[in-house]
Amino acid sequence: MAICIIVGHGKSKSGGYDSGAVNGNYHEFKIAREIARYAADYYNETYGEQCDLMNYNGNLYLSERIKQANLKKYNFVAEIHLNAGGGTGPEVYYSIGSAKGKAIAAAISKNISKAFGIRNRGAKTKRGANGDYFGIIRQTSMEAVLVETVFIDTKDLDNVKTAAGQRACGIAIAKAIAS
């Protein structure tokens, strides 16, 4: 099975840096990229399948991330983010009507929640004008999820401020994907 962990944000539509949500010196992209790296590293070290890491340097637009995922014909992709808007706990989006996506999304959300002892917001879908709202889900040809790990603008951030917390989050994601 070909798997890819993708870092959300990075390169903006204007060509500059898109940090995603920001809380003081904490940037969504910078934290998400470390969580994604730990997830891919753990998966590669622990399981017998290859897990690629995409957009670690933030040099790909969303459209380029989607194009590369489709060209490489992954079986599964997970794009890593941090949430914002006040709240607590992980939530993971999957494609509308996908039982397999729902199961993977639920496992990821549960593992992150358990790793940090925080609320589990669960597996969710979000509808847009053309079906699934998120491009990484709507425009890829494989099973895909968008992982909102924790909230960057609440005390949730404390869980992933450190390398240890980022590693714990990444491992939780990798274990859920493997299951």
Side-chain angles (χ1 to χ4, degrees), residues 65-98:
R65 298 189 305 263
I66 291 167
K67 182 178 179 180
Q68 282 191 22
N70 286 329
L71 285 173
K72 293 193 179 191
K73 299 183 180 180
Y74 292 109
N75 301 101
F76 176 77
V77 298
E79 188 170 86
I80 309 301
H81 290 265
L82 276 75
N83 217 337
T88 188
E91 58 190 15
V92 182
Y93 290 89
Y94 65 96
S95 183
I96 297 165
S98 172

Side-chain angles (χ1 to χ4, degrees), residues 13-25:
K13 288 181 181 179
S14 64
Y17 169 63
D18 173 12
S19 63
V22 176
N23 182 351
N25 291 326

